Amino acid sequence: MRKIHCTCSTDPPHRNLFSPPSPMAAKLHSLPPLHYPLSLLKSPKPFPRIPISHPLRSYHSQTRPLHNPDSRPLRSSSPAVRVLKEKVGSESADVGSSDRAGSVSKLVLVVGGSGGVGQLIVASLLSRKIKSRLILRDPEKATALFGEQDEKIMQVLKGDTRNLGDLDPSMFEGVTHVICCTGTTAFPSRRWDGDNTPERVDWEGVRNLVSVLPRTLKRFVLVSSVGVTKFDELPWSIMNLFGVLKYKKMGEDLVVQSGVPYTIIRPGRLTDGPYTSYDLNTLLKATAGERRAVVIGQGDKLVGEVSRLVVAEACIQALDIECTKGEIFEINSIKGDGPGSDPQKWAALFSTARIRQTDVQG
């Protein structure tokens, strides 16, 4: 897939720049501040300066054969993946032969591939015939979600980003791009069992992952959240009662300081799912409905909702769009026709967001 360079049109593709806040956000914003004790509106811990405690390690001179006893080679295509190929293939009919040729040399590592957004990312990579490698705590989930795949197309390794010792450098051999879409719930829930808290996932997990990325990496895409720069302000301070926005911002800051070529995607409130309890056949029946148009901004100003399908596509598109390198974008979806999987339309959206932010700063 060839790199897409952004055009510099100053005419935004969508006149409605900001979608209205969700009913929940509007309700929270209208609540009197005195209903919440001041101590609860502050972060649970002071926001520290972010040191890079694990410098990036280059191991290209000490390569070892990829080996993981818990890897699960998946050998044949499932009916679900065939359905996805037909669905995405119809949207990608305008992708040129050079884009297809570029996918042959690409190996995308997906961390968090069993989650709501991660499932869609992996399925879309499969439909595009882009080689992928998954790091999952439970590799058996890959078979249930994606069927049996040829290990030349998709490899599944067992690992947990919360534990640095799980991330052996051999896992990253040959990887050209990484998408990290790990996450947990903002408030205590069953998903916190086993120390799966925001601090462990969104901060320590991201820190550990960045510390072992190869220096030859072409792009690292991190899925974060809107509101991370305003975690001590209403209504965001309510969502941040247990630190989720604070720790996501810490993860962002570390990525920015690390020196890796990054793109950070900050979604609004996620819709269309989650689908983490379904197989891919059920997942493929989901669409973005009428909310296919995409709004992209910068500066943590967007307030609204976004389809998980749109977030997944934004991550994949950002891998090759040059003007997204070293940038942070917020993303919403609204009613209307969207860019689908057209790389030129996505490039125009990202480029327009950058121009708009530059005008604001100027």
Side-chain angles (χ1 to χ4, degrees), residues 55-63 169 210-216:
L56 294 178
R57 297 183 293 195
S58 177
Y59 55 87
H60 56 82
S61 60
Q62 299 179 353
T63 56
V210 170
S211 74
V212 295
L213 293 177
R215 293 187 182 276
T216 55

Side-chain angles (χ1 to χ4, degrees), residues 2-298:
R2 68 176 185 274
K3 289 186 178 179
I4 303 299
H5 294 273
C6 300
T7 59
C8 294
S9 169
T10 57
D11 186 20
H14 302 291
R15 298 294 182 183
N16 184 8
L17 300 182
F18 303 100
S19 60
S22 66
M24 178 60 73
K27 182 178 180 180
L28 290 174
H29 190 68
S30 64
L31 291 173
L34 292 179
H35 286 189
Y36 304 94
L38 183 60
S39 61
L40 291 180
L41 299 182
K42 299 297 182 182
S43 299
K45 298 178 182 178
F47 190 74
R49 293 180 62 84
I50 311 301
I52 300 180
S53 56
H54 305 295
L56 294 178
R57 297 183 293 195
S58 177
Y59 55 87
H60 56 82
S61 60
Q62 299 179 353
T63 56
R64 291 180 291 168
L66 178 65
H67 173 72
N68 189 314
D70 294 293
S71 64
R72 299 290 186 268
L74 307 176
R75 297 196 176 280
S76 62
S77 180
S78 69
V81 173
R82 288 197 293 272
V83 173
L84 182 63
K85 289 178 180 177
E86 295 175 1
K87 179 178 179 180
V88 178
S90 64
E91 296 178 353
S92 307
D94 55 348
V95 177
S97 59
S98 61
D99 292 309
R100 298 189 186 98
S103 66
V104 175
S105 60
K106 184 182 296 181
L107 175 55
V108 181
L109 177 72
V110 182
V111 186
S114 63
V117 171
Q119 290 181 35
L120 294 163
I121 290 172
V122 174
S124 189
L125 291 171
L126 288 171
S127 73
R128 288 166 157 94
K129 300 185 184 302
I130 297 175
K131 291 182 292 184
S132 61
R133 185 177 295 163
L134 281 58
I135 296 179
L136 297 176
R137 298 176 193 171
D138 180 8
E140 296 293 345
K141 285 186 177 180
T143 306
L145 292 171
F146 310 114
E148 295 186 352
Q149 301 295 324
D150 191 315
E151 62 181 347
K152 294 180 181 179
I153 299 298
M154 185 177 78
Q155 300 170 339
V156 184
L157 306 179
K158 182 176 182 178
D160 187 340
T161 57
R162 298 173 302 173
N163 304 320
L164 182 59
D166 279 9
L167 303 177
D168 190 275
S170 63
M171 291 179 166
F172 301 86
E173 289 177 4
V175 169
T176 58
H177 303 75
V178 175
I179 300 176
C180 178
C181 47
T182 54
T184 187
T185 56
F187 298 94
S189 67
R190 288 184 178 179
R191 288 184 62 187
W192 281 30
D193 292 349
D195 203 21
N196 198 49
T197 63
E199 181 177 13
R200 295 281 281 133
V201 175
D202 294 312
W203 163 232
E204 295 180 19
V206 171
R207 181 187 64 191
N208 291 337
L209 178 62
V210 170
S211 74
V212 295
L213 293 177
R215 293 187 182 276
T216 55
L217 196 69
K218 295 181 179 180
R219 191 67 61 88
F220 176 74
V221 176
L222 174 68
V223 179
S224 182
S225 172
V226 298
V228 294
T229 67
K230 301 176 286 189
F231 62 83
D232 57 350
E233 304 172 11
L234 279 171
W236 309 105
S237 56
I238 299 173
M239 183 178 178
N240 191 56
L241 286 176
F242 294 90
V244 65
L245 295 179
K246 182 188 76 170
Y247 291 122
K248 283 184 181 294
K249 183 61 167 63
M250 290 169 65
E252 284 190 10
D253 288 347
L254 180 121
V255 170
V256 171
Q257 297 172 18
S258 68
V260 301
Y262 69 87
T263 302
I264 295 174
I265 302 294
R266 294 171 174 168
R269 189 178 73 85
L270 294 169
T271 63
D272 300 326
Y275 304 105
T276 51
S277 60
Y278 295 92
D279 62 20
L280 196 55
N281 278 307
T282 303
L283 175 67
L284 294 174
K285 296 177 182 178
T287 67
E290 297 180 348
R291 301 174 66 89
R292 297 185 300 273
V294 176
V295 180
I296 297 179
Q298 290 188 297

Side-chain angles (χ1 to χ4, degrees), residues 330-351:
E330 293 82 48
I331 185 167
N332 283 343
S333 56
I334 59 177
K335 289 184 178 180
D337 294 329
S341 57
D342 187 326
Q344 299 295 339
K345 292 180 180 179
W346 277 98
L349 285 167
F350 283 119
S351 179

Side-chain angles (χ1 to χ4, degrees), residues 311-348:
V311 178
E313 186 64 29
C315 291
I316 293 175
Q317 293 290 338
L319 296 175
D320 295 292
I321 297 178
E322 192 65 22
C323 72
T324 66
K325 181 178 178 180
E327 297 288 341
I328 302 175
F329 297 96
E330 293 82 48
I331 185 167
N332 283 343
S333 56
I334 59 177
K335 289 184 178 180
D337 294 329
S341 57
D342 187 326
Q344 299 295 339
K345 292 180 180 179
W346 277 98

